[in-house]
Amino acid sequence: MASELVGALVGWYDANARELPWRQPDRTAWGVLVSEVMLQQTPVRRVEPVWRTWMQRWPTPSDLAAASAGDAVRAWERLGYPRRALRLHAAATQIRDRHAGVVPDDLDELRVLDGIGEYTAAAVATFAFGQRHAVLDTNVRRVLARAVQGRAQAAPALTAAERATATSLLPDDDATAARWAIAVMELGALVCTARQPQCGDCPIADRCAWQLAGAPPYDGPPRRGQTWHGTDRQVRGRLLAVLRAAHRPVRRADLVRAVPDDDLRDPHQRDRCLAGLVHDGLAEPGPDDDTYALPG
DNA sequence: TACACGTGGAT
DNA sequence: TATCCAAGTGT
C-alpha cells in the first residue's frame, strides 16, 4: 500500500514538477546546498534570480570562501535573514578547509557545517547525492499531517513521531527514496498548500486521512504569529539596508536618518540593534567609532 | 522549549 | 489594514 502511495506521488511529480535551476541535470552539489540555504523561509520566486547570480559569481565553495563576508551579505540582496549569507560563507570556508573544496556527501559532515541544520543536511544528501533520508520541511510535515495523521496542519514543532512516520514511509532503495522525498515536498508546495489546498488536483486525495475524515479544522495548540512592526528585527533590517546599499563606511548620522527617533520603540533601540548587528558579524565599526560597514 | 531572526506577496 | 505564510537554524 505504501508502494502505491509512492507510485502515485512520483508519477505526479514527473508530470508536474517545476523546472528550477537547482534541479537541472547540470546542477552541482554546491548549487543544491546554496539553493537550500536561500530557500529557508524564503519563497522560490524570490530565490531564483539571486541564486543564478550567486552561482555565476561563485560557482564553487572555494570561490565564495575567497570573497569577503560583506560581499556575500551584499549579494544576498533582500532575501531576508542575512545571517544565512554569513553562515553560507562560513560553510564554504569549512568545505574548502576541511573537505578540499568538495561538498561532503555524508549526512553528519553536512550537518555540522554552519547554517546547515537537520532539514538542510538531509535535503542536500538526498537531492544532490540521491541518498535515502527522511526530509522534513514545512511542506512535508503538512502533507504527512494531512495524508497520514488526518489533521489539517502539523504541530508547531517537529516531533519524534513525525520523524518515525516519515522514516517508515521511506522506500527501500536510495534512488526511489530520493524521488519520493522531492515529490512529497513538491506536492506540499503546489497542491497540499497551507491556505487553500487544491485537493481536486491531488493524486492521493482518495487515500488522504484528512479528506476521509471530512477535512476537520486544526485543533492543536495555536501557532505564535511572527511579530514585526516596531521590533528589533525591523530596525536591524533598515540599518542593514543602508550598509548594503553603501559601498563605503556609513556615518552614524546616516543611520540615524534611516531610522529616526520617532520610529523607535524605545530610545536605546537603534543602538541596541547596531550593537546586535556588530555582535552577529553583519556590521563592523570603523576605527573612529563613528562609522559602520559590512564585514570585510 | 520558546524565541529571535528579514522580506515581501497573498488574502 | 492586519495577519498569515514562505524548502529553518541557532541559542
Side-chain angles (χ1 to χ4, degrees):
Chain A
M1 54 174 185
S3 65
E4 294 175 18
L5 204 59
V6 171
L9 267 189
V10 168
W12 172 86
Y13 179 81
D14 289 341
N16 296 280
R18 292 167 292 182
E19 285 197 13
L20 301 170
W22 47 86
R23 289 179 179 171
Q24 297 307 303
D26 65 347
R27 80 198 186 291
T28 63
W30 170 241
V32 172
L33 192 159
V34 171
S35 77
E36 290 301 338
V37 174
M38 288 184 172
L39 286 163
Q40 293 168 2
Q41 302 284 281
T42 303
V44 167
R45 268 180 299 284
R46 288 174 48 210
V47 164
E48 198 168 340
V50 178
W51 182 91
R52 291 182 188 280
T53 304
W54 188 284
M55 293 305 296
Q56 189 162 9
R57 184 174 182 184
W58 297 307
T60 71
S62 296
D63 292 321
L64 176 59
S68 72
D71 283 346
V73 171
R74 191 171 280 112
W76 196 254
E77 300 191 11
R78 302 182 70 77
L79 290 181
Y81 292 145
R83 289 188 296 184
R84 290 182 293 164
L86 237 36
R87 292 181 179 136
L88 184 53
H89 179 266
T93 304
Q94 291 153 6
I95 291 168
R96 181 194 62 190
D97 296 343
R98 309 207 291 243
H99 302 286
V102 179
V103 176
D105 63 2
D106 180 81
L107 186 68
D108 295 324
E109 291 181 339
L110 287 164
R111 177 63 184 80
V112 297
L113 297 172
D114 260 38
I116 308 296
E118 176 180 344
Y119 161 75
T120 304
V124 172
T126 300
F127 304 148
F129 298 112
Q131 296 172 14
R132 177 180 182 276
H133 300 289
V135 181
L136 282 161
D137 77 325
T138 187
N139 288 305
V140 174
R141 294 186 61 221
R142 184 174 55 249
V143 171
L144 297 185
R146 288 174 179 162
V148 179
Q149 203 178 13
R151 300 168 68 92
Q153 56 181 272
L158 179 62
T159 65
E162 288 180 86
R163 287 195 191 86
T165 296
T167 300
S168 73
L169 290 173
L170 231 38
D172 289 332
D173 73 286
D174 287 10
T176 307
R179 296 183 70 203
W180 154 260
I182 191 66
V184 178
M185 195 177 313
E186 191 77 340
L187 186 76
L190 298 182
V191 174
C192 194
T193 54
R195 269 183 283 205
Q196 291 203 291
Q198 310 296 306
C199 299
D201 298 329
C202 181
I204 59 171
D206 62 340
R207 65 201 98 178
C208 171
W210 185 53
Q211 284 295 298
L212 295 175
Y218 178 67
D219 65 348
R223 299 189 149 183
R224 315 178 24 267
Q226 299 174 334
T227 54
W228 174 246
H229 187 69
T231 59
D232 283 6
R233 214 158 18 132
Q234 182 182 37
V235 171
R236 285 168 58 109
R238 290 173 65 179
L239 293 172
L240 196 63
V242 175
L243 300 184
R244 217 166 33 220
H247 288 259
R248 61 189 70 259
V250 175
R251 287 196 307 275
R252 178 181 289 271
D254 295 318
L255 295 172
V256 171
R257 195 171 306 117
V259 188
D261 288 350
D262 286 352
D263 292 0
L264 299 179
R265 173 175 285 178
D266 68 78
H268 305 296
Q269 188 175 29
R270 184 173 45 237
D271 283 342
R272 181 174 69 243
C273 289
L274 205 43
L277 290 174
V278 171
H279 175 267
D280 292 343
L282 285 166
E284 283 180 354
D288 50 10
D289 212 38
D290 184 57
T291 61
Y292 292 88
L294 292 184

